[in-house]
Amino acid sequence: MSAGSIFLWELLGTSVLVMLGTGVVANNVLRRTNGTGGGVLFVNIGWGFAVFTGASLAAPSGAHLNPAITLALAVADKTEWSDVPIYMLAQMLGGVIGAVLCWATYKLQFDDHDDPAGTLGVFSTAPTIRNSFWNVVTEVLGTFVLVAFVLFSPTFRPGEGNGGIPDFGNSALGYAGVAFVVLVIGTSLGGPTGYAINPARDLGPRLAYAFVLPIKGKGKADWAYSWVPVAGPLLGGVLAALLYLAYPA
């Protein structure tokens, strides 16, 4: 696949992923929406199916949508290293665009919100208890589960002999399988940090919030924490890839 095609599909998929994912948070948090107070499960389900939608649209590029997955696939020798910067640039820019589109959707609600200084949480994650080491551990574990599923999940195997029954593994689920994994990570491991598990999903919207979004009275971007949802997922992805290299499926 050409560099331009990779960039286009990853940009589109990540933009939609982030628009829908941050959109469900905005729908839950902001006043005068139809989803105000929907709760954490409402948000987790929204994020899970945001992944499904974005990944389905980005299928031509392999639907990485996540620098941690791109890096892990390169380490596992499933993606060309020369393509890694293209994937990551498109993903990061997609994160910015998705956040802008979310803001545009809820522009009137942002204008009416009673706590504009607290709106960073619509776009980026934050720990409930701040401790850099343990916050990184949480992100490593969540991303490890996601990437390990991508690498180890059984795929289609044809049946042996005449009349053999094929084993479809998880391939029949398509990207819905990944959505289910994101959902369980959110409900099980998302409590401490908000489960970024994707640097582009967190840093892209954080950049948009700090430098692009015209939210009156908005707060700071919390750059002191911003490295955690980048470093943790990248490390978790690499660890899953190393396990795959040691014990390939």
Side-chain angles (χ1 to χ4, degrees), residues 48 51-52 55 69 146 149-150 173-183 185:
V51 170
F52 170 75
I69 288 180
L146 172 63
F149 175 84
V150 171
L173 293 171
Y175 294 116
V178 180
F180 295 152
V181 174
V182 171
L183 175 58
I185 292 171

Side-chain angles (χ1 to χ4, degrees), residues 8-235:
L8 172 64
W9 293 114
E10 289 292 309
L11 179 71
L12 174 63
T14 311
S15 297
V16 170
L17 160 66
V18 172
M19 176 181 66
L20 296 178
T22 56
V24 73
V25 181
N27 198 13
N28 177 58
V29 169
L30 299 177
R31 299 194 306 172
R32 299 178 69 180
T33 76
N34 288 325
T36 302
V40 65
L41 185 58
F42 173 76
V43 171
N44 289 338
I45 291 173
W47 266 111
F49 284 97
V51 170
F52 170 75
T53 307
S56 297
L57 290 174
S61 64
H64 296 191
L65 310 187
N66 182 340
I69 288 180
T70 298
L71 180 60
L73 292 176
V75 171
D77 201 26
K78 291 178 173 290
T79 293
E80 296 292 333
W81 281 101
S82 59
D83 290 336
V84 169
I86 302 166
Y87 275 99
M88 290 190 176
L89 179 60
Q91 292 156 2
M92 199 61 63
L93 183 57
V96 173
I97 292 172
V100 173
L101 294 175
C102 169
W103 167 81
T105 302
Y106 286 94
K107 195 269 183 187
L108 298 179
Q109 284 72 26
F110 277 108
D111 290 347
D112 186 65
H113 192 51
D114 56 352
D115 182 24
T119 50
L120 175 63
V122 171
F123 300 99
S124 295
T125 62
T128 54
I129 300 175
R130 190 174 293 250
N131 180 299
S132 294
F133 175 80
W134 290 109
N135 298 155
V136 168
V137 167
T138 298
E139 290 293 331
V140 167
L141 292 173
T143 312
F144 180 91
V145 171
L146 172 63
V147 177
F149 175 84
V150 171
L151 291 173
F152 286 98
S153 183
T155 56
F156 174 82
R157 292 183 177 88
E160 296 181 1
N162 292 331
I165 299 174
D167 177 8
F168 286 93
N170 286 327
S171 61
L173 293 171
Y175 294 116
V178 180
F180 295 152
V181 174
V182 171
L183 175 58
V184 75
I185 292 171
T187 53
S188 301
L189 306 177
T193 62
Y195 76 114
I197 61 174
N198 181 343
R201 167 267 175 274
D202 191 277
L203 183 56
R206 197 181 298 269
L207 288 167
Y209 185 82
F211 301 112
V212 180
L213 301 183
I215 300 173
K216 187 176 181 180
K218 66 182 178 182
K220 296 181 179 179
D222 193 9
W223 295 115
Y225 179 76
S226 64
W227 66 274
V228 171
V230 174
L234 292 176
L235 179 56

